Structure formats: structure tokens, C-alpha cells
């Protein structure tokens, strides 16, 4: 097969304690999956069906990346998230079987041009310009296999050493198995898909020169800086 130009490099994520890389196919994100975050965004946190949005695969970048402050925004926000890495093709999985499709987990940051997102939301338009831009999906090294304390693990993010977000995964409105099941009902999940599972409250703006460190108990942390 001959292409009209050289294909771009395959987007990928580091793997814990390995030189191997996890190839990224698609990135799904769950909106407002912590009640306190839903409230801070001015929404009702009742357990309505979750909604998903996407980011391009090449929005992913490694821990240690210096992320450029993106254009078109004056309100650039962090959102710390547990990331689920899919390792098997799956469609219409039950909640009971959902974890069978999971390859592993990581710590990610859903970077958001909040002013563009809210403008689009208020106008009834897609969120793409607010969510789907270069380097908008930093992800730490993936841990292969399951987490022993998936529900009780603490999730947190600090900016310049100050804790901005903290919660526990048990506070997810929709659990990891439920998220994977619901996503698999809408699309055929395949190896290489990543699912960002939602962020707790405390999202706030960052500026050039800031250093962000995010963690989930049992996983390698993620650290990025803003240029």
C-alpha cells in the first residue's frame, strides 16, 4: 500500500515498568461523573444516564510533557481523571462482564478550554473546540491489570504543590464497570481505546509556569508543566 504522504506516528501511552507502549486508538471521556463537580458546573448531579465526548488519539501526551498554553482561551482548566485502557474488542457488555475488556488503568488530565466549552454549551453547540485540541489528554504510565482497591482509591491533583482536587473513586456516579458497559453499548470498543472516567470538583485555571501533579492510589502519578 502506498500513501500520498508519510502516515503520522501512532499515538501511544507509556506502560509502567516497561519499554513497551500502549497504542491509542480512540479517547472517550465521561462528562460530569462526580456529583460535586456537576454542582460546580451548575448542573443537577442526579444519576441520569452519563454522556460521552471524544478527543483525538493524538491529543494524548506523556507524563513529563511541557504542555503549551493553547490558543483561543483565557480560562485553561485541569481535570484529573482515572483512565481505563481497553485491551479486548467488546460490544454490549454487561456490567458483570465489563472488566473483562480492561487492559489496565492510568492517571490522566482532561485539559479544557473552559471558556470555549461553556460558550458552546450555552449555545447548544458541540464541545470540540473546548475539549479536543493538541496535548489535551496527558496520561501517565498505564498499569497493566486490575487495581485491588479500585473503589476506595483516592484521586487528587495539585498545582505548584497546592491540592486543587481530591476525592475517592467510590464517589463516581457511574462506576468503572458501568461506564465500560454503557460505552460498549454505543460503540464497539477495541484494543487501544482509552476511557477518561470523569473528574471530581475543584477544577480551576492554570497559567504558564505552573506544574501539575496528579495521582490515583496504586498508579504511577502524572506530572506536566504549562508553557
Amino acid at each position: 500500500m502506498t500513501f500520498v504522504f508519510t502516515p503520522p506516528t501512532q499515538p501511544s501511552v507509556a506502560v509502567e515498568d516497561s519499554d513497551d507502549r500502549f497504542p491509542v486508538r480512540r479517547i472517550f471521556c465521561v462528562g460530569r461523573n462526580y456529583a460535586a463537580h456537576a454542582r460546580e458546573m451548575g448542573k443537577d448531579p442526579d444519576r441520569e444516564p452519563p454522556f460521552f465526548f471524544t478527543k483525538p488519539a493524538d491529543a494524548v501526551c506523556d507524563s513529563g510533557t511541557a504542555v503549551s498554553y493553547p490558543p483561543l482561551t483565557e480560562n485553561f482548566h485541569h481535570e484529573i481523571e482515572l483512565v481505563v485502557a481497553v485491551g479486548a474488542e467488546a460490544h454490549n457488555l454487561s456490567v458483570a462482564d465489563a472488566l473483562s475488556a480492561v487492559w489496565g488503568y492510568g492517571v490522566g488530565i482532561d485539559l479544557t478550554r473552559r471558556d470555549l466549552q461553556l460558550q458552546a454549551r450555552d449555545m447548544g453547540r458541540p464541545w470540540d473546540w473546548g475539549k479536543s485540541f493538541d496535548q489535551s489528554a496527558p496520561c501517565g504510565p498505564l498499569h497493566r491489570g486490575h487495581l485491588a482497591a479500585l473503589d476506595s482509591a483516592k484521586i487528587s491533583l495539585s498545582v505548584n504543590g497546592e491540592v486543587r482536587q481530591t476525592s475517592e473513586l467510590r464517589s463516581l456516579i457511574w462506576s468503572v464497570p458501568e461506564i465500560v458497559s454503557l460505552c460498549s453499548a454505543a460503540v464497539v470498543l477495541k484494543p487501544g481505546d482509552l476511557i477518561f472516567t470523569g473528574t471530581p470538583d475543584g477544577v480551576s485555571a492554570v497559567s504558564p509556569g505552573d506544574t501539575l501533579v496528579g495521582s490515583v492510589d496504586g498508579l504511577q502519578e502524572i506530572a506536566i508543566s504549562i508553557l
Side-chain angles (χ1 to χ4, degrees):
M1 180 183 296
T2 302
F3 295 101
V4 297
F5 55 83
T6 302
T9 302
Q10 167 67 52
S12 64
V13 177
V15 175
E16 180 182 84
D17 299 327
S18 174
D19 292 330
D20 293 339
R21 305 281 299 181
F22 182 89
V24 177
R25 177 174 177 263
R26 295 181 294 188
I27 301 174
F28 301 97
C29 304
V30 184
R32 295 194 293 266
N33 200 27
Y34 287 80
H37 175 57
R39 293 188 188 98
E40 75 177 351
M41 297 301 292
K43 297 298 180 180
D44 189 336
D46 285 347
R47 201 171 185 265
E48 61 183 12
F51 65 92
F52 293 82
F53 58 92
T54 62
K55 292 175 180 271
D58 63 1
V60 77
C61 58
D62 284 337
S63 180
T65 297
V67 174
S68 298
Y69 195 97
L72 306 180
T73 184
E74 296 180 354
N75 197 17
F76 187 37
H77 278 208
H78 58 75
E79 298 189 7
I80 186 67
E81 312 208 5
L82 173 72
V83 178
V84 176
V86 175
E89 184 169 318
H91 183 50
N92 278 330
L93 284 174
S94 68
V95 173
D97 293 334
L99 294 185
S100 66
V102 174
W103 186 91
Y105 301 90
V107 185
I109 304 175
D110 169 15
L111 292 173
T112 302
R113 295 191 281 202
R114 187 71 71 202
D115 42 3
L116 300 188
Q117 180 205 11
L118 295 181
Q119 181 184 56
R121 184 194 71 181
D122 293 345
M123 297 177 72
R125 294 177 178 176
W127 290 6
D128 296 57
W129 251 215
K131 290 287 190 178
S132 304
F133 52 93
D134 299 335
Q135 299 181 307
S136 63
C139 187
L142 297 178
H143 169 85
R144 186 170 189 171
H146 293 290
L147 295 177
L150 182 60
D151 291 333
S152 60
K154 179 182 177 182
I155 181 171
S156 66
L157 180 136
S158 65
V159 179
N160 302 327
E162 175 190 354
V163 176
R164 297 273 186 92
Q165 294 183 266
T166 183
S167 188
E168 293 182 341
L169 297 182
R170 63 163 53 100
S171 295
L172 286 165
I173 297 173
W174 294 86
S175 69
V176 169
E178 290 172 325
I179 290 167
V180 174
S181 173
L182 287 162
C183 198
S184 77
V187 299
V188 177
L189 292 174
K190 293 189 176 182
D193 290 343
L194 297 179
I195 304 175
F196 281 58
T197 59
T199 195
D201 61 315
V203 300
S204 59
V206 293
S207 302
D210 286 345
T211 297
L212 287 63
V213 178
S215 65
V216 173
D217 291 344
L219 300 175
Q220 284 193 15
E221 67 181 24
I222 183 171
I224 62 170
S225 58
I226 308 298
L227 287 178

